[in-house]
Amino acid sequence: MKENFKKLTPYFIAIIAFILISVTYFSPVLEGKKIFQNDIKHFIGMAKEVNDFRAENGEEPYWTNAAFSGMPTYNLSTLYPNNFVKALDDVLRFLPRPADYLFLYLLSFFILLSVLKVEWKLAILGALAFGFSTYYIIILGVGHNAKAHAIAYMPMVLAGILLTLNKNYLWGFVLTAIAMALEVSAGHPQMTYYLLFVVLILGIVYIIDAFKEKELPAFFKSIAVLVVAVVLAIGVNAPSLLATSEYVNFSTRGKSELTINPDGSEKEKVKGLSKDYITEYSYGITETFNLFIPRFTGGGNYEDVGLDSNIYQFLKDKTDPRQAKEFAQYAPLYWGNQPIVEAPAYIGAILLFLFVLALFLAKGKLKNWLVGVVIFSILLSWGKNFNALTNLFIDFVPMYNKFRAVSSIQVLAEMAIPLLAILGLKEWFSDKNSSEVKLNVLKKALYIVGGLALIFTLFGSSLFAFEGLRDESYDKLLPGLLDAIIADRKAVFFADSLRTLILVLLSASVLWLFLKEKLKMNAAIIALGALILFDLVAVDRRYVNNEDFMSAREIDKPFVASAIDKEILKDTTYYRVANFAVDPMNDGSTSYFHNSIGGYHAAKLGRYQELFDFQIAKNNIEVLNMLNTKYFMFEDSNQRLTAQQNPDVNGNAWFVNTIKIVKNADAEILGLDSLKTKTEAIIDVRFTNDKFKTEFPKDSTATIALINYKDNHLTYNSTTSTNQFAVFSEMYYKNGWNAYVDGVLKPYYRVNYVLRGMEIPAGKHTIEFKFEPTVIKKGNTIALVSYAFLLLIPIGWFYIDKKKKNVR
């Protein structure tokens, strides 16, 4: 018992250390504060209606009407049934956010290093090196929680896979299945997709090695075990995956039916997102050096350069000193090619040095794998700056064209570099290589990395122009300002280059002192850990620090109703609001109070985005009327928020007399240009047949009205003397919304490009629209079966293994 406890002690120490480090870095959480995350702020606005519905009804609506005139909530705020994976995830993320994600980073990487038999103290060092990588901290600051969540589980998934490939089949199966289930549950398909590339490169390296060593049967046995584990991991997540898979085809990530652009030009024929959109955020080739030198290309879009800066000194005599100080606090130092950069994706000067050291010291398939991952991820992160490779992947690699911001594939390098660096240190502290070999390797790494840092320190200011994309506007703003900005760009370049050089020299000194037996291994590990933490944390805190935290009340309720909001809310009927005081398609604030025609989501309904681009953006009032837009919010000439009621709004439902049949999506979207939406509707020929009626007599006594509203259940009463065709101001989504007339299921159609329409028989009737997605029930059945196998397979396996041992 004591012996087992002794074996587990290092792991308890590691976990306690990770907890303390996580809450120390994000210390305001101990005061009950929460970090301000802009994306999460808008998410709260988007999800409020769903959360209110859940609290009031004790069930999931799976649909919200508060954003984009209506959309499924599968990727917004949904609690899927029997989600035991989420329950496990909640246990692992027991710390307050965002300390929970930092803890996961550290724990997951520690598990990976432990599987690779790295000594526990060195594994803790590696975990810290991985967890404090600047990009990983930055995404917590801006609110990319799902991305951080998925990244955090990547090392754990790889640990399970490596355990299996190393023939520890039972525990490899268990760890892979659980970690992969958690990875998928994190809900960031792009990061999980990128992880697949890491696994594929690993598989290629291992199968080559297995072929050379004549161990192909063992390799394929491992693959079989991993396939079952991954299938079950996917299976337990079936409700969310099936729902997402179904929805993605109707979202902006799916294929558009249009062949034209809003300006009338021919639309680029692509499957998935356009190449321009995919590669909008492409890492510059030169910019890659900020993995090594933090502000190589200026840092983020806005940097605080202080009162000693060239910018402040230039502005203080030419403008109001307060304006000069403010500009210096948000100086536009970034001079790379990306539209927006919060901070550099800095991996660390010391870690890059140790990575290069490992290139000479480490041997074997793990090194080959990790070097391959680094090269692969960096080349693809260049995007449009390396079109030959990028276009190849967009055109031919399945699903690559479903994701944007190709620069984010660098997360793979940010995982592989510290991993190989620690494996290199493992070799350094072992007795496998002589001191002479180690000294030679140290010299090579120092000459390469230190030499590069020295070149940039001495000559860097003359090697580049330091000119950015928006620089012309600064000289127009104030002649001479751009020169001051460029001077400060050069200043931070020099300062950070010198900083990198010093850190490389210090870390090399620690290794040299160990080699000369001036430092013991533990002391060397502590010294390197201190240097790495100093290096990374100092950069991290430039961008995410205590100033980013606010009271929990301010975070949980980020929006305060304005006088205009309160005035609109006096109207308790069901309607929509168009807020043109903000960018309506990138705004979650309006959805917090109203049913908005806009919203904040990366995968809104594709047809709705097209409706906005072709019609709403061109101020087509008829389209706004048919969306039941009863109120407009905007800023007046004095930049004060004001509102105006729309007297011509169509309402929740109305009868039309004429239905225009068009041949395709192009004709349908363009037909809205001149459509009189109160009396006419437009429909794609695919929804019609020979018996489809296109004319309905005007019935002056006909009425149709919404009498009951819930997110997922709308009820109307109609009275007509003849058959009529009704248009409903609700989004058409065939995979879930069912129409009933007097309790009987009836067909309905997509009209006006995005809305619902159906023929209503004469007389008095009750019409209901119910959101009843079958995909949830189907997914739940698959999940329960997968959970059963996930539990029974390890138990059976363990029992059989034990029985075999007893027989022996």
Side-chain angles (χ1 to χ4, degrees):
M1 183 71 178
K2 287 183 178 179
E3 188 176 333
N4 289 334
F5 180 77
K6 190 175 181 181
K7 288 181 180 178
L8 293 173
T9 298
Y11 302 100
F12 288 130
I13 292 173
I15 290 170
I16 292 169
F18 295 155
I19 292 170
L20 293 174
I21 290 167
S22 299
V23 296
T24 299
Y25 185 83
F26 293 114
S27 59
V29 300
L30 299 174
E31 304 170 34
K33 292 182 178 181
K34 293 187 177 182
I35 192 168
F36 172 77
Q37 300 170 304
N38 188 59
D39 279 17
I40 300 306
K41 172 184 175 180
H42 288 286
F43 165 80
I44 291 171
M46 289 278 290
K48 186 175 186 298
E49 185 189 47
V50 178
N51 294 332
D52 289 348
F53 181 95
R54 184 186 299 128
E56 185 177 340
N57 298 281
E59 62 176 295
E60 291 296 310
Y62 300 114
W63 185 270
T64 179
N65 294 300
F68 302 117
S69 298
M71 65 179 288
T73 61
Y74 303 144
N75 299 115
L76 178 59
S77 176
T78 294
L79 301 180
Y80 291 99
N82 300 309
N83 196 344
F84 304 117
V85 175
K86 186 180 184 307
L88 174 60
D89 177 63
D90 289 340
V91 171
L92 292 173
R93 292 194 302 112
F94 63 96
L95 292 175
R97 186 176 298 171
D100 57 344
Y101 291 120
L102 178 54
F103 174 75
L104 268 190
Y105 290 158
L106 302 175
L107 177 66
S108 185
F109 205 76
F110 179 80
I111 290 172
L112 174 57
L113 289 172
S114 297
V115 164
L116 293 174
K117 296 182 170 53
V118 174
E119 200 263 347
W120 68 273
K121 296 165 200 163
L122 202 53
I124 289 176
L125 172 64
L128 296 174
F130 171 77
F132 282 101
S133 185
T134 303
Y135 183 80
Y136 298 158
I137 299 298
I138 292 306
I139 58 178
L140 296 178
V142 297
H144 294 173
N145 290 353
K147 180 183 284 187
H149 203 171
I151 289 169
Y153 283 124
M154 283 182 177
M156 199 182 295
V157 172
L158 294 173
I161 292 171
L162 286 166
L163 205 58
T164 308
L165 289 171
N166 291 332
K167 302 178 185 178
N168 193 335
Y169 300 117
L170 174 57
W171 291 113
F173 169 84
V174 171
L175 183 56
T176 301
I178 292 173
M180 193 66 198
L182 290 164
E183 169 69 30
V184 174
S185 178
H188 202 288
Q190 185 172 4
M191 292 299 106
T192 305
Y193 178 74
Y194 288 163
L195 174 62
L196 178 62
F197 289 121
V198 180
V199 176
L200 287 174
I201 296 170
L202 177 65
I204 291 169
V205 170
Y206 262 74
I207 195 172
I208 292 172
D209 184 75
F211 178 78
K212 289 179 179 178
E213 300 296 326
K214 295 182 171 51
E215 289 196 354
L216 284 176
F219 173 79
F220 286 115
K221 181 180 178 181
S222 297
I223 296 301
V225 170
L226 291 172
V227 167
V228 175
V230 172
V231 167
L232 293 180
I234 292 171
V236 297
N237 285 286
S240 62
L241 289 177
L242 289 180
T244 300
S245 177
E246 176 189 274
Y247 173 65
V248 74
N249 295 317
F250 301 97
S251 77
T252 50
R253 308 287 172 142
K255 184 179 179 182
S256 172
E257 294 182 37
L258 296 177
T259 64
I260 55 173
N261 292 311
D263 61 4
S265 61
E266 185 178 351
K267 191 179 183 71
E268 180 185 1
K269 293 180 181 179
V270 293
K271 294 179 180 178
L273 304 174
S274 70
K275 288 182 181 179
D276 287 344
Y277 188 63
I278 291 170
T279 61
E280 181 182 12
Y281 288 86
S282 296
Y283 227 71
I285 296 174
T286 303
E287 193 173 358
T288 306
F289 282 109
N290 66 21
L291 302 177
F292 177 53
I293 297 171
R295 289 183 293 186
F296 192 93
T297 50
N301 280 94
Y302 302 106
E303 294 277 338
D304 186 349
V305 292
L307 302 184
D308 294 328
S309 63
N310 293 283
I311 290 173
Y312 179 76
Q313 295 301 320
F314 172 80
L315 289 174
K316 70 176 183 178
D317 298 325
K318 293 180 172 56
T319 63
D320 185 320
R322 287 175 298 178
Q323 290 181 326
K325 184 178 180 181
E326 185 177 350
F327 195 90
Q329 286 179 320
Y330 299 96
L333 291 198
Y334 175 71
W335 51 276
N337 295 324
Q338 298 186 79
I340 300 173
V341 172
E342 290 289 336
Y346 181 60
I347 293 176
I350 298 170
L351 285 170
L352 263 297
F353 167 68
L354 295 176
F355 173 78
V356 174
L357 182 85
L359 293 179
F360 297 108
L361 201 58
K363 308 292 181 186
K365 53 196 173 187
L366 288 178
K367 171 190 165 183
N368 297 337
W369 165 51
L370 294 171
V371 171
V373 169
V374 171
I375 295 171
F376 174 85
S377 65
I378 288 178
L379 292 181
L380 278 174
S381 75
W382 290 345
K384 61 188 176 185
N385 301 309
F386 192 27
N387 268 328
L389 182 64
T390 300
N391 289 340
L392 182 70
F393 270 70
I394 290 173
D395 293 335
F396 298 107
V397 176
M399 291 186 67
Y400 194 80
N401 59 9
K402 300 291 184 183
F403 306 109
R404 65 178 298 226
V406 293
S407 61
S408 62
I409 201 171
Q410 256 184 17
V411 299
L412 304 184
E414 288 153 10
M415 177 174 59
I417 286 172
L419 181 53
L420 185 55
I422 297 303
L423 292 177
L425 279 181
K426 179 186 175 185
E427 295 299 316
W428 180 267
F429 290 123
S430 75
D431 297 325
K432 291 181 182 178
N433 296 292
S434 66
S435 295
E436 185 179 341
V437 169
K438 290 178 183 178
L439 182 60
N440 188 41
V441 166
L442 180 61
K443 288 178 180 178
K444 288 179 181 178
L446 184 59
Y447 293 157
I448 293 170
V449 181
L452 189 62
L454 181 62
I455 289 170
F456 286 135
T457 303
L458 296 177
F459 309 111
S461 297
S462 59
L463 293 176
F464 308 101
F466 295 90
E467 294 175 353
L469 293 175
R470 304 177 183 87
D471 283 359
E472 286 185 11
S473 62
Y474 301 122
D475 251 354
K476 290 178 181 177
L477 181 67
L478 189 64
L481 176 57
L482 180 57
D483 291 335
I485 291 172
I486 289 176
D488 281 330
R489 287 171 179 169
K490 290 181 178 181
V492 298
F493 180 96
F494 173 78
D496 279 7
S497 296
L498 180 60
R499 176 185 187 276
T500 288
L501 176 61
I502 292 169
L503 287 168
V504 168
L505 291 173
L506 288 173
S507 55
S509 299
V510 171
L511 296 181
W512 183 82
L513 288 170
F514 169 79
L515 200 60
K516 297 301 179 181
E517 299 183 354
K518 304 292 184 181
L519 279 179
K520 299 291 185 184
M521 186 180 80
N522 288 344
I525 290 174
I526 291 171
L528 286 172
L531 286 171
I532 289 171
L533 279 178
F534 169 80
D535 180 18
L536 295 176
V537 171
V539 176
D540 293 343
R541 292 193 75 81
R542 292 176 185 173
Y543 306 101
V544 180
N545 50 57
N546 293 359
E547 293 178 5
D548 297 307
F549 285 79
M550 302 167 67
S551 70
R553 180 184 56 80
E554 292 175 286
I555 298 298
D556 294 338
K557 295 183 178 180
F559 304 108
V560 177
S562 66
I564 297 300
D565 288 315
K566 292 175 182 177
E567 190 64 29
I568 293 173
L569 289 170
K570 290 178 182 178
D571 186 341
T572 57
T573 61
Y574 176 57
Y575 53 86
R576 293 195 177 89
V577 173
N579 187 355
F580 295 118
V582 295
D583 177 358
M585 299 301 274
N586 287 288
D587 163 56
S589 64
T590 309
S591 299
Y592 191 80
F593 301 107
H594 313 287
N595 292 316
S596 175
I597 69 159
Y600 190 88
H601 201 280
K604 57 192 76 72
L605 282 167
R607 276 187 166 251
Y608 192 77
Q609 178 68 63
E610 291 163 351
L611 181 77
F612 185 89
D613 294 339
F614 276 80
Q615 301 297 339
I616 299 175
K618 297 176 182 178
N619 299 315
N620 187 332
I621 190 65
E622 284 284 356
V623 168
L624 290 166
N625 288 343
M626 80 179 192
L627 293 174
N628 195 18
T629 311
K630 194 173 182 179
Y631 294 95
F632 301 113
M633 297 172 67
F634 53 90
E635 288 185 345
D636 63 17
S637 57
N638 295 315
Q639 296 187 322
R640 292 177 302 190
L641 185 65
T642 187
Q644 179 180 320
Q645 185 171 343
N646 179 10
D648 298 319
V649 66
N650 289 13
N652 305 119
W654 61 96
F655 294 120
V656 296
N657 308 123
T658 302
I659 302 175
K660 298 180 178 181
I661 299 176
V662 293
K663 62 181 180 180
N664 55 32
D666 289 351
E668 190 176 4
I669 193 76
L670 294 177
L672 292 173
D673 289 350
S674 57
L675 190 74
K676 306 301 181 186
T677 59
K678 289 183 177 62
T679 58
E680 301 172 333
I682 194 167
I683 189 169
D684 193 300
V685 67
R686 289 172 295 173
F687 287 93
T688 67
N689 54 40
D690 294 340
K691 297 180 180 179
F692 188 83
K693 294 172 61 177
T694 59
E695 295 292 335
F696 290 83
K698 185 173 179 61
D699 183 352
S700 59
T701 63
T703 61
I704 184 168
L706 179 72
I707 61 168
N708 190 43
Y709 165 79
K710 289 174 69 175
D711 293 19
N712 56 2
H713 189 178
L714 304 171
T715 306
Y716 306 81
N717 277 348
S718 72
T719 303
T720 63
S721 57
T722 60
N723 286 10
Q724 295 289 313
F725 192 90
V727 177
F728 301 85
S729 61
E730 305 301 324
M731 291 298 101
Y732 176 88
Y733 189 75
K734 67 177 182 179
N735 293 71
W737 279 109
N738 292 320
Y740 300 86
V741 177
D742 299 329
V744 179
L745 185 66
K746 294 290 183 180
Y748 69 101
Y749 313 99
R750 188 186 67 220
V751 299
N752 296 3
Y753 205 70
V754 295
L755 300 184
R756 308 171 200 167
M758 67 183 300
E759 186 172 345
I760 308 296
K764 293 184 177 181
H765 299 285
T766 299
I767 302 115
E768 296 174 278
F769 279 97
K770 299 179 183 179
F771 194 56
E772 302 168 318
T774 57
V775 69
I776 303 297
K777 292 179 182 178
K778 180 181 178 182
N780 189 41
T781 300
I782 295 172
L784 290 174
V785 172
S786 299
Y787 278 122
F789 278 108
L790 188 56
L791 184 65
L792 292 173
I793 288 176
I795 292 173
W797 197 333
F798 179 79
Y799 175 77
I800 292 170
D801 274 359
K802 190 175 182 181
K803 197 172 181 180
K804 285 180 180 178
K805 289 177 182 177
N806 290 337
V807 170
R808 292 171 191 165

